[in-house]
Amino acid sequence: MRVESLRQHETTISPQASFLILCGLNTLALRMDQHCNSAHALALTLEAHPSVAWVRYPFLNSHPDHEIARRQMSDGSGMFAFGLQSGAEGATAMMGRLRLIRSGGNLAEVGSFICGSARLTNAVICPLPGAKSAIALAMTSYDEDAEDLVGDLLMTLDFA
C-alpha cells in the first residue's frame, strides 16, 4: 500500500489544527462567560418586549425548568429561542433588518447568528401559550458586546 493512500484515511487532526485548538483553550473560560452573559441579556430584553410572544432560555424565571437549570448549570448557555407576536412573516422581516447579527450560520463559526426555524427549539417539549402561532428563532452570541447585540435586536423589533 502506498503512503498517499494511507494518508487519505488518517483520523487524526493536523498539527496546525491542534495548535489552534490549544491556543484557544487559554481563553475558553472567558469566551464562554461572554457567550452566556450576552445571551442572558438578550433573553431578558426580548422577554420584556411587546413584539415578542415568548422566550425560551433556561435562566429566565419564566422557563418551565428554570429551577432545574439553576441547580444543574453554572450559566444559562449562549443559545435561546423566541417567538414573535407577528409570526413567521414578522420573523422574516425582522431577520432581514438585522445588521450585526447574521442570518443563518453555523455553530462552529465565530460571531452571532440567528436562524428562523421552529425545528431548532423545544417548543413541542415545553409548550408556551402562542408558541404554535409564532415562528421560533434560535440565536447564539460569541464575541460581540451584549449592548450592541441588544441594540441590533431592538432596532428590528420596533418594526415587527
Side-chain angles (χ1 to χ4, degrees):
M1 186 177 276
R2 293 188 353 223
V3 173
E4 293 88 34
S5 63
L6 284 175
R7 288 188 182 141
Q8 291 175 358
H9 301 291
E10 288 181 4
T11 58
T12 58
I13 61 174
S14 71
Q16 178 67 20
S18 298
F19 172 76
L20 292 172
I21 290 169
L22 287 173
C23 288
L25 287 177
N26 292 330
T27 59
L28 180 61
L30 295 171
R31 289 182 287 121
M32 288 308 298
D33 283 345
Q34 178 69 25
H35 179 66
C36 295
N37 291 337
S38 293
H40 196 176
L42 288 163
L44 287 169
T45 300
L46 288 168
E47 189 173 50
H49 199 281
S51 296
V52 177
W54 55 270
V55 180
R56 177 80 79 229
Y57 184 75
F59 270 31
L60 292 179
N61 291 333
S62 60
H63 193 281
D65 295 321
H66 172 74
E67 292 303 319
I68 294 170
R70 284 285 182 176
R71 284 194 314 267
Q72 295 180 348
M73 300 167 67
S74 60
D75 276 312
S77 164
M79 296 186 73
F80 61 90
F82 63 101
L84 298 179
Q85 299 286 359
S86 57
E89 205 170 283
T92 301
M94 185 210 80
M95 290 187 337
R97 287 190 293 270
L98 290 167
R99 297 289 175 239
L100 182 59
I101 301 165
R102 293 174 296 157
S103 181
N106 180 314
L107 289 176
E109 293 179 17
V110 176
S112 297
F113 74 89
I114 191 165
C115 180
S117 174
R119 295 175 301 157
L120 297 178
T121 70
N122 61 355
V124 174
I125 298 167
C126 303
L128 292 169
K132 291 180 181 175
S133 63
I135 191 168
L137 302 170
M139 189 198 159
T140 185
S141 67
Y142 289 103
D143 59 354
E144 296 93 354
D145 183 71
E147 286 183 33
D148 293 340
L149 295 171
V150 166
D152 197 24
L153 274 176
L154 288 177
M155 184 175 49
T156 63
L157 287 172
D158 288 340
F159 299 100

